[in-house]
Amino acid sequence: MKSYLASRFVVLRDQERCIQCRVCVRQCGYDVHAYDSEAGDVFSCDERCVGCHRCVVFCPTQALSVRENPLSYRANANWRPEVMEDVLRQAETGGVLLTGMGNDKPYPIYWDHLVLNASQVTNPSIDPLREPMELTTFLGAKPEAVTLDPETGALATELPPQVPVAVPILFSAMSFGSISLAAQESLARAAAEAGTLFNTGEGGLHRSLHAFGEHAIVQVASGRFGVDPEYLEEGRMVEIKIGQGAKPGIGGHLPGEKVSAEVAATRMIPVGTDALSPAPHHDIYSIEDLRQLIYALKEATQYSKPVGVKIAAVHNVAAIASGIVRAGADYVAIDGLRGATGAAPKVMRDHVGIPIELALAAVDTRLRQEGIRHRVSLIAAGGIRNSADVLKAIALGADAVYIATAALVALGCRVCQMCYAGKCSWGIATQNPYLTRRINPSIGARRLANLLRGWSLEIQEMLGGMGINALESLRGNRLHLRAVGLSESEMRVLGVRPAGE
Amino acid sequence: MRGTPTRNNPYGDGKVVDACSIFGVIDVTGRPFSGDRAIAAIACMHERGNGLGGGFAVYGCYPDFADWYALHVMYMEYDVREHVEGYIGSHFQLHLAEPIPTRHVHTISDPPQLWRYFVSTADHPLAGEAPDDYVVQQIMRINTRFRNAFVFSSGKNMGVFKGVGYPEELAEFYCLDEYRGYIWTAHGRFPTNTPGWWGGAHPFSILDWTVVHNGEISSYGTNRRYLESFGYHCTMETDTEVVAYAIDLLVRRHKLPIEAAASVLSAPLWSHIDRDSSPRGILLRTLRQVYPSLLLNGPFTVIIAHTGEMIGLTDRIRLRPLTAARHGPLLYLSSEESAIRLVDPDLGEVWTPLGGEPIMARVLAPGEGLPGPQAAARPFGGGTR
Ligand code: SF4
Ligand code: SF4
């Protein structure tokens, strides 16, 4: 069927600069560029271009540029180009529209409406270059109180397992399968270098990454891929994945073509079979079932590591989180509306769930009202873009945050949203060895560790400016936030006051 | 009393901030002495206050009623007293009610009505096993339910005397020359964002715990929300209140020694804790892991007192001053050394404590000898940080 879709991008090649080296031909994962040996010319099939910039960055003579196709439609606030293109695409395929990465719709980004505080006069700011500045955070359940033996004065409290992170930023779940092993190894190495954790996602832990088990959160999702006693033993924390911000309420589907021998071995499934994660865990239909799984995993690991639960931010997230805490989870991770994915139905990604800022504030408030916030750690995910977002999340009540998109961007990702196609020119969201070889894990790890270092320096500066020298003193400290341009009800949910008040 | 502000935070700021002078003195033999020294010393630091608040805590001042809780109540409105007295009558056993003696001081205008009630929970069915918890609950209730009444002191054999004015004027106003105590703490206030309210002056108190504080706690929001989970309501919206409740939670409810509580409020740095694998290091680590939300961040010096004990503590990087001194059985704590030297010219030892190092002095048990040099100053468990 002839596609009625116009190409999204226009590839511009400066013929004066092009030396016909064919780097672009090799770099593009989408076969946009081709070499015409008869004409001795490189040309492009623009309609395949996804705007990933790989060719642009690698062209040795800067001959290439990519532009959004300046095609004009008759202006219509209702029938915008994207709306029409989706209709066309479905008319041509008859299927569910897939997409990758996080929600790209213009929902309010509350981070951009929250501003941080700083000291003036009454309270000296602290210079992190001269004074200690502590970011260490301990993840895991905490008891209500420390108890000393009344006779001897010796410590009588034994803490549940605590996992320290040197920066409150963890790499969110990205499975081997959804991303390449080289990309996952980059995350693992960077986590080890920066003293934080990466998350295996639901794809198991590849043998070659067992060395990084100390820095791994091993996920147990509805498909149970790659889960065996050794896997649980390897990880530093165990995470039960109930939901994901990009696709709350549905499972996952890794098509058989992507299930290579390595992916198959790691997931413990036959090569070439579809890896289907059911929408719910079929052994969890209620909160008491969740409790059983939490304790089954604790038993299996001899209570030696925290067991947490990750959920998508949905309407009644506060009540759900409270139930999860009472079910015995050591931490709760909440993934908001803008959380990313390797593949999800576009309609789910763009319309289901609530923003992380509101979800986080609501959960933190509810857990405090119930007097149980201090018992668990709270991890916020889905839409953290920079160090200011991290700090704002902590002031709203998070112990730490998960980042995923930001980490992939550090590896080259341009958020082209084509991850589900498995052709990623950056070698990230693909299993094609020709493409995955582009990521050298030690260079990838360098880039990621640099990012974490940069953010943590910025966090120290901002904390010092507020007159705070330990991150824990900002946790849930919403007095250090003010709202700009938000409604009364939004401020009520966020628990922040308007700027100037 | 007309025009007396009835709220601590009339502009609804995130919290009330102020700077101050603080002073404390204890006789570790437990011998009561007059307030002359404390009053002269705090007056010496006049420049550090601005006349918008001052106050004193005196321990050992009600020896004849030592078994009863002494509730000091201020009324900003005439009618409310009747209701509060009704409430006190029906929730406590009332032994004595009287106005707190005051004298006219021309700079102190429009004071509230000030009364004291000596009460016990003896036969109240709800007080049961934990009379202290019951008293705290009732005080929280009175302070939140009656808008124009405020209980500002509630311990046994101790009292808080505070208000709007310079501390030396308040000493005169409250006739403090007629009281004797074995611990005196004092405060002169420089509030930066409030017109000054009688209840907002220091010391802050709950049961027999008192806190005088100089500084601004930048972790206030964190501390406050944590304490709310445990039923403490920060009705005053000042960071000092948070210190008092934190101590109450840690020491009275969680039964931690005061040294441990001090190392929660001014937690040692992780780099120090990590070097210490002894039981003490493990204790410090556990405390910091369990109570991160009670770390007090930002510049502060506090003098905390309760029956038989006085503690001085600064933030861990010592952004506000504290000087300690000893002379025989007397231990002094002060914002400025000059104030101590003024009232006791021949001191034995004078020193500046390290940031976060608690200076503790308690009344000796019968037969116990005076501590050696700086012994009162040994940080938690001995050794230095
Ligand atoms: S490499 Fe990326 S930007 Fe370049 S042509 Fe291919 S899809 Fe387009
Ligand atoms: S990971 Fe690759 S395919 Fe996915 S958005 Fe980034 S560049 Fe595009």
Side-chain angles (χ1 to χ4, degrees), chain B residues 123-292:
Chain B
D123 48 5
H124 198 278
L126 287 178
E129 297 287 285
D132 281 355
D133 283 342
Y134 175 77
V135 173
V136 171
Q137 234 176 47
Q138 296 313 323
I139 289 167
M140 293 274 163
R141 255 190 228 154
I142 297 173
N143 287 352
T144 47
R145 191 176 294 179
F146 301 97
R147 221 178 107 66
N148 288 316
F150 184 68
V151 182
F152 62 102
S153 184
S154 51
K156 290 179 181 171
N157 196 13
M158 59 78 66
V160 169
F161 304 88
K162 66 180 186 179
V164 173
Y166 281 101
E168 57 275 24
E169 297 165 356
L170 286 152
E172 179 75 15
F173 171 79
Y174 276 111
C175 315
L176 290 190
D177 42 293
E178 293 168 13
Y179 294 80
R180 296 171 77 76
Y182 61 90
I183 299 176
W184 288 77
T185 66
H187 189 261
R189 182 164 183 229
F190 195 138
T192 50
N193 65 346
T194 150
W197 172 58
W198 278 66
H202 299 212
F204 275 86
S205 182
I206 181 135
L207 296 173
D208 67 333
W209 290 97
T210 58
V211 180
V212 289
H213 166 229
N214 169 21
E216 183 187 341
I217 295 174
S218 40
S219 55
Y220 174 75
T222 298
N223 308 140
R224 173 185 175 148
R225 295 186 73 218
Y226 177 80
L227 288 163
E228 277 168 357
S229 289
F230 289 89
Y232 295 93
H233 297 288
C234 296
T235 48
M236 312 287 307
E237 293 161 343
T238 88
D239 31 22
T240 316
E241 192 182 21
V242 147
V243 183
Y245 297 160
I247 291 282
D248 186 66
L249 177 71
L250 293 170
V251 177
R252 192 175 58 79
R253 284 174 58 185
H254 291 177
K255 306 203 167 25
L256 293 172
I258 186 75
E259 303 91 312
S263 72
V264 167
L265 304 184
S266 270
L269 297 170
W270 282 117
S271 57
H272 291 239
I273 296 175
D274 287 343
R275 281 203 296 267
D276 187 350
S277 55
S278 70
R280 174 175 178 263
I282 294 165
L283 173 57
L284 290 173
R285 160 176 295 269
T286 308
L287 289 169
R288 194 159 175 199
Q289 285 176 328
V290 174
Y291 300 110

Side-chain angles (χ1 to χ4, degrees), chain A residues 25-28 431-438:
Chain A
V25 179
R26 291 187 292 275
Q27 290 296 326
C28 178
Q431 300 305 322
N432 176 348
Y434 182 73
L435 299 171
T436 60
R437 265 202 305 272
R438 328 188 146 180

Side-chain angles (χ1 to χ4, degrees), chain A residues 221-239:
Chain A
S222 60
R224 300 288 196 274
F225 297 120
V227 180
D228 68 358
E230 192 194 353
Y231 172 72
L232 298 176
E233 211 38 64
E234 283 296 330
R236 192 69 187 272
M237 308 209 284
V238 180
E239 181 171 281

Side-chain angles (χ1 to χ4, degrees), chain A residues 30 52 101 408 413-419 424 426 428-429:
Chain A
Y30 300 86
C52 75
M101 301 314 279
L408 298 190
C413 165
R414 292 301 203 269
V415 198
C416 71
Q417 310 184 23
M418 291 299 292
C419 322
C424 177
W426 292 91
I428 300 168

